[in-house]
Amino acid sequence: MLNALQTRILAVVAFLVAVAGLSAGIGWVGYMSALDQLEQRGRSDLALASDRLTGELQRYRELAVLMADHPTVAATVQGRGAGAQDLLRQTADKTGSLDIIVVSAAGGEVASASATGAQRHGGKPYFERAMDGALGTYHQVNDRYGQRTFQFAAPIFSPDGPVAGAVIVVVNVDAVEAVWRGARPTVFFTDELGVAFISNRSELVFMARQEGAAVQGATAEYAPEVLQPFMTYSPIDRRGRTLWTVEDQRYVPAQALHLSLPLPVIQMTGEALLDVAPAQLLARLQAGVAAALCLAFGAMLFLATERRRTLAEANARLESAVERRTAELSRTNADLRHEVGERIATEAQLKKAQSDLVQAGKLSALGQMSAGISHELNQPLMAIRSYAENAETFLERGKADVAGQNLGRIAELARRMGRIIKNLRAFAKQESEGLTDVNLDGVVTAVLEITQARAKADEVTVRWAAPDQPVIVRGGEVRLQQVVLNLVSNAMDAMEGQEAAKEIDIEVAASGARVDLLVRDTGPGLDEPDRIFDPFYTTKLVGQDGAGQNGMGQEGMGQEGMGQEGMGLGLSISYGLVQSFGGMIRGRNHAGGGAEFTVTLDAAPTRKVAA
Ligand code: ADP
């Protein structure tokens, strides 16, 4: 994370450095090309200014040459004529010259337009040059006129050849300068002595480039006090150009491009100082625009990259979350499948166990039934045998009356056996008939008969509060017997081995269309009243069913210790049977102790005894 951040910071810094470099380069190139243009313009400006100056001065030069040839002037210099002064004055007025002077070969003034006193010209370089037959040029601060002047001295040739004198035309430099004062660019003309003599900035005039410069030269002359030090500047070379950094000058640009142009015609050098500030401003602007564009572009790029990076990160996070979730789901799915498999297997095992149990139950019922039948019938049979043997003995002894009693007992026992067999047959018979009217008293009496033997053996008191009027309900007789038998057998099972009195109360309560049959015991009560009707719910040992849902009573079965073995099917079968009659069976713990079962049945519409 830190590395990625560092990389980004580095990239940003590198980008900024690159932008700075690029804009500096663009600024430099822009500056150079702006200087190119400035130089071109400056050169033409300087050439123009120089042309104007030389052109202007040229006029006076030519005037001097023309005046030298004038006959009046020639006559005057030779001392032969007069009226030259008028000519000179008129000419000076017309041409705008400051003065026109005719000088003799000796150097003395013969005539002048201004007539302001004589001046010695002998020995002056311009005069000497004229006397040599050439054109003399000179500039100075002329005391006579109190200003800067340019002088052109032209020789006057005598008819026989030698130079007779000279005509000097004096030009007022101020008048020449006046028309272009203040114009741009800053231009000044320096002479051979390095003094700025003419300029469009008056401050620059008389600035001497060299200290202690000679005050007199071949073409110029200055009083030393007139000159002032040249402005302070430091030249810088910019690819063949010279830039000046000028100090303390009000009307001269502080940063300027310096151009120079030699003007041999007037023995001077034209110089121009061009302000580079606009070029610098332009270059800075170009650099600034380039930088701004680059930065804007970079910022956009950076934002786009950031956005893409954020999106990619979010995407990656999402993908990993989806992957994680998918993996979790797959795991859960696999777990679920495994669980489903386990459940299916468990269910199969359960079903198998159930069917095994049912099978076992059936077998045990069969065994119990045969054991029961033989036991039930064996006891009266033994009794019959002993009664018969006794009767035989009594008959031999001639006691016919006692023998008759024994025979009566035999008959009674046979009847009882017949009743038992009848009940067994009834149970064995698969009841397939629909509902009929059943007398409850008959049902309960039959059950009590079957359980009589066990009740006696277990010392259980069974009390049947038989109603005065027969109570007729809708149901199947044998199935109803099966239900009641199961309730009585369960009660006996529950009370088996208990110290307290073992009692079972059976009552009928009829209310309108419904009839309740209640079976209550004094046993320990129900452990879990809510579950007693669940198939296979039992608190007894799982094994042979001690109860009578197989239709067999406990009577005389000789199954001591078997009474507490169950399959948990008795009550659930009873529940189904009662429901099939349209009735209901409930079990609860009685407030006074013990369990109480209520079988609610529909009362038969007629009060006729059906069975
Ligand atoms: P089984 O008799 O084979 O156990 P049943 O369905 O007849 O199966 O009875 C289920 C259970 O209900 C019994 O195991 C017993 O716990 C309980 N039960 C039924 N009748 C009584 C009763 N009168 N007193 C106490 N518990 C009883």
Side-chain angles (χ1 to χ4, degrees):
M1 195 63 205
L2 195 69
N3 268 339
L5 188 70
Q6 278 176 341
T7 316
R8 267 151 64 208
I9 290 173
L10 263 179
V12 169
V13 169
F15 176 74
L16 288 180
V17 169
V19 167
L22 183 74
S23 58
I26 287 176
W28 177 255
V29 171
Y31 186 39
M32 283 302 132
S33 77
L35 280 188
D36 274 346
Q37 289 177 13
L38 189 67
E39 184 178 353
Q40 277 177 20
R41 221 176 31 244
R43 284 213 179 279
S44 59
D45 284 348
L46 180 58
L48 201 68
S50 305
D51 282 353
R52 280 174 67 174
L53 178 66
T54 49
E56 192 81 1
L57 294 178
Q58 192 69 17
R59 284 197 310 137
Y60 298 104
R61 200 175 119 120
E62 280 158 11
L63 177 68
V65 173
L66 282 174
M67 287 306 287
D69 284 346
H70 201 283
T72 312
V73 170
T76 306
V77 83
Q78 284 163 10
R80 287 186 283 114
Q85 187 168 1
D86 289 342
L87 171 74
L88 294 179
R89 191 175 294 134
Q90 280 171 18
T91 312
D93 287 347
K94 284 175 188 163
T95 57
S97 311
L98 193 59
D99 206 352
I100 303 174
I101 307 163
V102 179
V103 184
S104 68
E109 282 186 19
V110 181
S112 75
S114 60
T116 49
Q119 184 188 352
R120 290 292 307 163
H121 296 281
K124 296 282 184 182
Y126 58 94
F127 180 71
E128 294 306 323
R129 224 174 130 63
M131 293 315 288
D132 287 346
L135 191 77
T137 307
Y138 204 66
H139 59 269
Q140 64 183 134
V141 183
N142 205 317
D143 293 338
R144 181 166 164 187
Y145 310 105
Q147 32 198 327
R148 284 172 296 157
T149 59
F150 239 98
Q151 284 131 268
F152 294 103
I156 305 168
F157 293 101
S158 56
D160 45 351
V163 179
V167 173
I168 298 172
V169 174
V170 183
V171 184
N172 184 356
V173 172
D174 269 344
V176 175
E177 238 177 24
V179 282
W180 48 285
R181 186 158 292 142
R184 279 170 190 276
T186 304
V187 172
F188 56 96
F189 297 88
T190 47
D191 59 20
E192 51 169 3
L193 300 175
V195 177
F197 187 67
I198 307 172
S199 173
N200 58 2
R201 300 283 183 280
S202 53
E203 307 77 33
L204 300 186
V205 175
F206 298 131
M207 276 192 175
R209 195 168 258 136
Q210 293 164 10
E211 230 175 289
V215 290
Q216 188 151 16
T219 63
E221 173 189 336
Y222 301 103
E225 66 274 10
V226 169
L227 300 180
Q228 51 172 319
F230 200 78
M231 58 188 154
T232 318
Y233 70 95
S234 19
I236 319 160
D237 193 51
R238 280 267 180 276
R239 300 211 303 186
R241 294 188 196 95
T242 312
L243 289 188
W244 279 15
T245 307
V246 180
E247 287 172 23
D248 304 328
Q249 286 296 322
R250 229 174 130 191
Y251 300 102
V252 177
Q255 280 262 323
L257 176 63
H258 177 253
L259 301 177
S260 59
L261 182 69
L263 301 171
V265 184
I266 53 167
Q267 310 268 330
M268 287 197 172
T269 305
E271 294 181 50
L273 287 174
L274 312 168
D275 193 359
V276 294
Q280 282 174 344
L281 186 68
L282 185 73
R284 276 196 204 109
L285 258 176
Q286 286 173 337
V289 168
L293 281 176
C294 286
L295 284 179
F297 180 72
M300 266 155 56
L301 204 71
F302 181 74
L303 284 181
T305 319
E306 280 295 290
R307 214 174 116 82
R308 218 179 46 213
R309 202 176 54 77
T310 317
L311 272 178
E313 267 176 22
N315 218 9
R317 266 204 304 277
L318 196 71
E319 265 173 22
S320 73
V322 166
E323 253 169 42
R324 222 173 29 245
R325 194 90 188 89
T326 311
E328 273 171 20
L329 280 177
S330 314
R331 239 187 347 265
T332 313
N333 209 6
D335 287 354
L336 275 177
R337 276 205 195 127
H338 185 67
E339 207 168 301
V340 167
E342 273 181 357
R343 282 194 183 203
I344 287 173
T346 313
E347 207 178 308
Q349 278 176 1
L350 189 67
K351 273 195 184 143
K352 188 167 175 302
Q354 282 179 354
S355 70
D356 285 356
L357 274 176
V358 170
Q359 194 59 29
K362 281 180 185 167
L363 286 175
S364 96
L366 201 66
Q368 282 176 19
M369 191 184 285
S370 45
I373 290 169
S374 46
H375 187 84
E376 283 297 305
L377 298 182
N378 201 38
Q379 199 201 21
L381 213 56
M382 291 305 239
I384 285 172
R385 205 176 94 191
S386 47
Y387 279 131
E389 283 170 2
N390 288 350
E392 202 174 34
T393 311
F394 284 130
L395 279 178
E396 279 171 9
R397 288 184 195 165
K399 290 184 179 173
D401 52 334
V402 185
Q405 279 176 7
N406 278 353
L407 286 175
R409 292 236 170 92
I410 288 172
E412 171 126 350
L413 283 170
R415 261 200 308 281
R416 188 176 152 204
M417 285 172 75
R419 268 206 315 274
I420 289 173
I421 287 170
K422 184 184 160 209
N423 275 328
L424 287 174
R425 271 175 56 207
F427 275 113
K429 190 172 82 183
Q430 192 63 307
E431 193 176 41
S432 55
E433 305 99 52
L435 300 186
T436 54
D437 287 353
V438 182
N439 186 351
L440 262 189
D441 187 32
V443 170
V444 176
T445 309
V447 169
L448 293 185
E449 216 152 72
I450 293 169
T451 54
Q452 184 186 352
R454 186 179 173 196
K456 199 171 161 196
D458 288 0
E459 297 174 340
V460 178
T461 314
V462 183
R463 283 191 291 265
W464 164 226
D468 304 335
Q469 297 288 321
V471 177
I472 315 296
V473 294
R474 297 290 292 165
E477 186 172 20
V478 178
R479 286 174 284 173
L480 203 51
Q481 274 182 23
Q482 202 173 336
V483 171
V484 179
L485 178 59
N486 189 32
L487 293 180
V488 173
S489 302
N490 274 349
M492 286 178 171
D493 287 346
M495 295 186 293
E496 200 171 71
Q498 89 177 18
E499 292 291 311
K502 303 173 186 175
E503 293 169 2
I504 296 177
D505 281 295
I506 305 173
E507 297 169 15
V508 171
S511 63
R514 303 289 264 180
V515 176
D516 285 345
L517 177 71
L518 290 103
V519 179
R520 188 190 158 193
D521 61 54
T522 54
L526 306 170
D527 284 349
E528 293 170 282
D530 293 341
R531 294 189 57 201
I532 49 174
F533 295 108
D534 292 349
F536 301 106
Y537 169 75
T538 180
T539 54
K540 302 166 192 170
L541 296 174
V542 176
Q544 292 169 308
D545 196 332
Q549 80 263 30
N550 48 27
M552 281 300 299
Q554 303 293 323
E555 190 179 347
M557 283 185 183
Q559 75 280 49
E560 288 83 3
M562 279 173 70
Q564 289 301 338
E565 290 184 352
M567 283 182 59
L569 288 172
L571 281 180
S572 70
I573 290 172
S574 300
Y575 190 89
L577 290 177
V578 175
Q579 261 202 336
S580 73
F581 306 149
M584 207 163 67
I585 180 167
R586 287 184 305 270
R588 64 185 182 100
N589 284 320
H590 194 272
E596 183 182 63
F597 284 86
T598 310
V599 180
T600 307
L601 296 163
D602 285 338
T606 55
R607 296 269 163 191
K608 241 174 35 201
V609 178

